[in-house]
Amino acid sequence: MGKNKNKRYKHNTHLPFRLNVVFFIVFVLFAGIILQLGVVQILNGEEAQDEIDRTENTTTTISVPRGEMYDSQGKVIVDNEPLYSITYTPPKGVQAGDKLELAQTLSSYLDMDYENLTDRDLKEYFYLQNEQEIRDRVEDQVTEDMDNGEVYQLQLDSITDEEISGYDNQTKEIIAVKKELDQAYSLAPHVIKNSDITEAEYSAVAENLAKLPGVNVTSDWERTYPYESAFRSYLGSITSSEQGLPRDDLDYYMSLDYSRNDRVGTSGLEQQYEEVLRGTKEKVQYETDSNNNVIDSKVIREGQAGKDLQLTIDMELQEEVNKIVQEELQSAIVNAPSLNRHLENAVAVVSNPQTGEILAISGQTYNRNPEEGESRFTDTSHQALYNAYMPGSTVKGATVLTGLHEGVVTPNTWINDKPVTIADGKKASYTSGIGTVNDIAALQQSSNVYMYFLAMYLGGETSNRYDMDALKLKDGTLDKFVYNFNQFGLGVPTGIDFPYEASGVKGTLRQPGQILDFSIGQFNTYTAMQLNQYVSTIANGGDRIRPRLVNSVHEPSNSDGLGPVYKDYTPEVLNQLDMDSSYIERVQEGFRQVAQTSEGTASSVFSKQPYAQYDMAVKTGTAQASKTVISEDGERTTYDDLLNKTLVGYAPSDNPEIAFSIISPYLGEGASSTFGISNNIGARIGEAYFELKEARENGTADEGPGEQENNNGEDAETEE
């Protein structure tokens, strides 16, 4: 018994030891696991979580309608037309074969345009149909140093034209659908078709969505323009869904949460105000499993349509200004065809000089030989910001104010307007018979000689000689002129809310006599918008105001018309003239006398009815100009004795409501200095503004878009 008892005791002493070993091993294993978890959680936790989010959660955005544009009277000028739309939202990891199968099914419900298919589109389809055969055509040793893209291109190149030439129309429709499917990005809706969709097509797709994974029927929009071409070049353009983001700016837009196929503004106000017009896209988060199947989704940001713009443009006035410019341009060409054979276009800008609001911009180009169905006129309103011309005497207001401010002339300075000759052969032009003039009379009768002596006084010349052996002006004379002109906006950007504007061309000073040319507007070139800002600064008493095309930004409305104001733009004074107000008043009086007194250079138009009642103040201008014409065979001919006819003005003279600038470049050789195209345009614009104002006060103005009269020039046309 004792022996057996000892054996049992000895056996029991070994069991706890073995258990302890097991427990120790388990402890070590758990400690290792805990340590590893700590390392993952503490040191690599954020990186691991990012990896989980990246593989299991994907966020995408859904586009919203773009903001609309309204004119100053609340009339829609850029609208969104709702469209049926078929979209495709591909899952992650979808294969080319899956897209091809989907294209084959979807094409049976849709009529797709296949006219724009390229050879590459056809070859890619052929490749999918004959993948192994194409792979076998390209030997491995040839491609061993190539990347996948280069290999694929080599495989496509091996497909012959004969192999892709026999596709029927039904197959081409499949290829066209597949092309659209290929442009879609994972979990991002892409428009397959949104134009010319019939109700039958829309219904057929809607009824068969179960057979069409990723396809959906929804609504889309397309830009429409109730006023057609009027002001169109300033409204701008947007890309199509096929074009998507501009390639050159892809990284910029992608950083702002755009999708590759989003439509964006590429010019004009569409580009300038892209940030508010685009709206806020709906953001959706998709949860996918390891096989890239969507297992859940949730909206993490509600979408909101783009905000609307109310422009400063008055479309009723805009259409009337277009008509006026067309009619006067055509009249000048048709009534003097040989004299004005180089006259092609005219441009006008109308604004509120107190606020900087642009009321109308018109640029019209006359087509002398329109083809069948082609309009007699082309809208080239961009000239107002893009094209700079020699302005002539319209800038003499700035010249006079420079002289008064710098103290080189006074209101009591009188100069006899007679020829000035300089030894280098320059003979200064003068106005016959006007005699002795001061600052106001010099503006009224457009004395060049007064401006010449003012420039010479500014340059340190103290003599009053009309026949000089040489002209010597001190250094910095031109710079002083330029500085003062810049205060009016001449030679500097106006600051208008538009993606681009020219600031004019500065002349190259080679001899002192060219400073005299500067004083009469025969040296630097300016745009119609710069001339408008200049005359507005004089009209309002000395404030250079930033011109504006947009008055306010509005929240999208659930009904017709504008919603609540999101942002209101107020007049912005860029600078005030550093000049005595009494001097500005003298220039204003000079401009009034140009139009309203018998000696004024524009009195034959503005002092007569029906225009006299509007009490306009203006300054006329004639500048020598040259134009190079290139013939069909490439021969270049330069005509040096052409004229630019310009006009700036405002009305009424005592409390201006509108300011206008007009440029009619390249009138023919021999055209008199009183040729009336720009004067007629300016007078008729003033009349149109006040007649429209009266009609609105009486409740008789038009309520919406109307057809522009004589938009093809047919009624006024005669044979040359």
Side-chain angles (χ1 to χ4, degrees):
M1 290 288 295
K3 186 175 181 180
N4 292 337
K5 184 177 181 180
N6 289 337
K7 285 183 179 180
R8 284 199 304 273
Y9 173 77
K10 190 173 183 180
H11 175 75
N12 289 339
T13 58
H14 286 286
L15 184 59
F17 174 77
R18 292 173 181 172
L19 285 174
N20 287 337
V21 171
V22 171
F23 291 152
F24 177 75
I25 294 172
V26 171
F27 170 78
V28 171
L29 291 174
F30 272 105
I33 292 172
I34 292 170
L35 179 62
Q36 184 62 31
L37 287 174
V39 170
V40 171
Q41 182 66 29
I42 297 172
L43 299 182
N44 302 320
E46 184 175 351
E47 181 180 348
Q49 186 61 48
D50 286 344
E51 180 65 23
I52 292 172
D53 290 340
R54 191 160 46 243
T55 57
E56 295 188 357
N57 295 307
T58 302
T59 301
T60 189
T61 55
I62 300 174
S63 296
V64 295
R66 196 169 178 84
E68 300 169 350
M69 299 187 201
Y70 296 76
D71 84 336
S72 62
Q73 305 302 308
K75 299 173 184 176
V76 179
I77 55 178
V78 181
D79 203 355
N80 292 325
E81 179 184 359
L83 301 172
Y84 285 140
S85 180
I86 310 297
T87 64
Y88 173 58
T89 306
K92 295 173 65 177
V94 64
Q95 300 300 308
D98 298 329
K99 291 183 180 179
L100 177 58
E101 183 178 347
L102 177 58
Q104 291 168 337
T105 305
L106 184 56
S107 65
S108 64
Y109 306 122
L110 291 178
D111 291 327
M112 288 292 290
D113 179 16
Y114 49 79
E115 295 299 325
N116 294 322
L117 290 177
T118 64
D119 285 349
R120 183 180 180 89
D121 299 327
L122 302 178
K123 287 183 177 182
E124 288 182 340
Y125 176 78
F126 185 88
Y127 175 87
L128 288 177
Q129 297 290 87
N130 306 273
E131 185 171 351
Q132 190 56 53
E133 177 187 344
I134 303 304
R135 287 177 178 271
D136 293 341
R137 293 182 184 181
V138 180
E139 298 180 4
D140 292 341
Q141 59 267 30
V142 176
T143 63
E144 59 184 5
D145 294 327
M146 294 183 178
D147 59 32
N148 291 337
E150 292 172 326
V151 173
Y152 182 60
Q153 184 60 55
L154 193 62
Q155 291 168 341
L156 292 182
D157 291 341
S158 72
I159 300 172
T160 65
D161 292 340
E162 289 76 13
E163 289 175 317
I164 61 173
S165 62
Y167 292 131
D168 57 24
N169 293 344
Q170 183 177 355
T171 303
K172 289 180 180 178
E173 285 196 358
I174 295 174
I175 298 173
V177 174
K178 177 189 171 297
K179 180 179 181 179
E180 291 295 335
L181 299 180
D182 287 340
Q183 293 179 14
Y185 296 92
S186 295
L187 301 177
H190 174 77
V191 175
I192 303 301
K193 185 178 181 181
N194 67 352
S195 61
D196 300 324
I197 296 179
T198 65
E199 290 188 15
E201 288 178 294
Y202 189 83
S203 299
V205 174
E207 292 170 0
N208 291 277
L209 290 179
K211 304 176 185 177
L212 303 167
V215 174
N216 194 14
V217 290
T218 182
S219 61
D220 198 15
W221 52 269
E222 182 179 58
R223 282 305 213 202
T224 59
Y225 305 91
Y227 289 87
E228 298 181 346
S229 63
F231 199 63
R232 183 71 178 81
S233 60
Y234 285 88
L235 298 176
S237 301
I238 61 174
T239 60
S240 65
S241 55
E242 290 78 15
Q243 294 169 325
L245 301 181
R247 181 174 299 179
D248 292 343
D249 299 317
L250 181 62
D251 291 341
Y252 167 75
Y253 284 116
M254 293 295 287
S255 70
L256 297 177
D257 203 25
Y258 283 79
S259 299
R260 292 175 181 269
N261 56 4
D262 279 347
R263 287 169 280 187
V264 298
T266 56
S267 65
L269 294 175
E270 294 276 17
Q271 179 182 354
Q272 182 74 21
Y273 288 91
E274 168 68 25
E275 182 178 351
V276 294
L277 288 170
R278 63 175 291 203
T280 302
K281 297 195 295 185
E282 181 177 293
K283 184 173 287 190
V284 180
Q285 181 174 285
Y286 294 95
E287 184 177 354
T288 57
D289 60 18
S290 59
N291 294 320
N292 293 321
N293 297 314
V294 176
I295 58 177
D296 191 21
S297 65
K298 62 180 178 180
V299 176
I300 59 177
R301 185 182 67 197
E302 295 288 342
Q304 184 181 42
K307 294 178 173 58
D308 300 329
L309 303 181
Q310 182 166 33
L311 309 189
T312 62
I313 297 296
D314 183 334
M315 288 306 294
E316 195 170 350
L317 179 62
Q318 174 71 48
E319 289 191 313
E320 191 63 26
V321 172
N322 284 347
K323 175 185 173 184
I324 291 168
V325 174
Q326 288 179 1
E327 289 179 349
E328 292 299 330
L329 178 60
Q330 179 163 285
S331 176
I333 292 172
V334 171
N335 292 330
S338 59
L339 181 64
N340 291 320
R341 64 180 182 275
H342 300 298
L343 175 63
E344 294 180 343
N345 56 71
V347 58
V349 177
V350 188
S351 70
N352 181 334
Q354 310 295 344
T355 64
E357 295 168 303
I358 302 300
L359 307 180
I361 306 177
S362 180
Q364 303 295 321
T365 297
Y366 184 81
N367 186 351
R368 296 173 185 269
N369 300 297
E371 307 218 349
E372 184 176 354
E374 187 178 10
S375 173
R376 174 65 76 180
F377 292 95
T378 301
D379 189 292
T380 52
S381 298
H382 60 272
Q383 291 183 80
L385 290 177
Y386 286 35
N387 292 7
Y389 298 98
M390 206 83 75
S393 298
T394 49
V395 300
K396 286 179 178 176
T399 301
V400 168
L401 279 169
T402 297
L404 291 170
H405 173 66
E406 297 293 341
V408 297
V409 293
T410 72
N412 294 318
T413 300
W414 292 82
I415 296 173
N416 188 10
D417 188 289
K418 63 180 184 178
V420 175
T421 303
I422 301 174
D424 61 7
K426 178 180 179 63
K427 183 176 181 179
S429 61
Y430 73 107
T431 306
S432 176
I434 68 173
T436 302
V437 294
N438 67 351
D439 52 346
I440 293 177
L443 292 171
Q444 175 201 42
Q445 301 178 71
S446 203
S447 170
N448 284 346
V449 174
Y450 180 94
M451 307 302 156
Y452 291 151
F453 274 97
L454 184 156
M456 288 188 285
Y457 296 158
L458 189 66
E461 176 64 55
T462 58
S463 69
N464 289 323
R465 292 178 300 160
Y466 288 81
D467 189 354
M468 291 172 280
D469 295 333
L471 179 63
K472 295 181 180 179
L473 302 180
K474 59 186 177 183
D475 292 342
T477 302
L478 181 61
D479 293 337
K480 191 170 292 187
F481 254 135
V482 169
Y483 169 77
N484 283 282
F485 272 49
N486 288 169
Q487 289 192 59
F488 297 90
L490 295 172
V492 294
T494 65
I496 191 170
D497 50 341
F498 202 73
Y500 173 81
E501 68 165 321
S503 56
V505 177
K506 297 179 181 179
T508 301
L509 184 64
R510 296 184 177 88
Q511 55 188 6
Q514 290 177 308
I515 297 178
L516 307 190
D517 294 334
F518 183 96
S519 72
I520 63 168
Q522 290 276 173
F523 192 66
N524 286 355
T525 65
Y526 308 117
T527 67
M529 187 62 69
Q530 288 175 314
L531 290 176
N532 190 275
Q533 188 178 54
Y534 148 72
V535 75
S536 295
T537 304
I538 292 174
N540 66 37
D543 291 336
R544 183 168 79 98
I545 301 176
R546 185 190 301 276
R548 286 184 290 116
L549 294 171
V550 172
N551 254 338
S552 52
V553 180
H554 294 254
E555 297 286 0
S557 174
N558 294 325
S559 58
D560 293 338
L562 288 161
V565 173
Y566 171 77
K567 183 175 183 179
D568 201 1
Y569 295 97
T570 56
E572 180 183 354
V573 177
L574 299 176
N575 63 268
Q576 293 180 313
L577 295 183
D578 183 22
M579 298 169 178
D580 192 281
S581 61
S582 66
Y583 296 155
I584 299 174
E585 290 170 1
R586 293 188 67 82
V587 171
Q588 291 172 338
E589 175 60 18
F591 279 24
R592 188 195 69 80
Q593 291 192 19
V594 170
Q596 302 301 329
T597 63
S598 58
E599 295 85 3
T601 56
S603 63
S604 61
V605 175
F606 290 92
S607 67
K608 305 295 191 299
Q609 294 299 346
Y611 309 121
Q613 62 184 305
Y614 305 119
D615 186 29
M616 300 190 215
V618 304
K619 184 68 193 79
T620 57
T622 302
Q624 294 179 337
S626 63
K627 181 180 182 181
T628 300
V629 178
I630 303 176
S631 64
E632 293 182 358
D633 58 4
E635 183 179 353
R636 299 169 65 91
T637 305
T638 299
Y639 299 89
D640 293 318
D641 48 358
L642 304 181
L643 300 175
N644 294 343
K645 298 299 297 183
T646 61
L647 180 79
V648 297
Y650 51 87
S653 65
D654 58 345
N655 186 23
E657 297 179 28
I658 62 164
F660 47 82
S661 57
I662 296 99
I663 302 177
S664 304
Y666 309 131
L667 273 74
E669 306 91 329
S672 71
S673 62
T674 58
F675 194 85
I677 177 172
S678 292
N679 290 356
N680 292 343
I681 291 173
R684 291 183 63 187
I685 285 175
E687 180 186 37
Y689 170 83
F690 288 107
E691 285 188 344
L692 179 58
K693 177 184 176 182
E694 182 179 2
R696 285 174 176 159
E697 290 173 349
N698 296 333
T700 59
D702 291 342
E703 294 300 323
E707 292 184 5
Q708 183 176 327
E709 296 180 25
N710 194 32
N711 62 349
N712 289 319
E714 300 301 333
D715 294 341
E717 183 180 355
T718 61
E719 293 298 325
E720 296 184 9

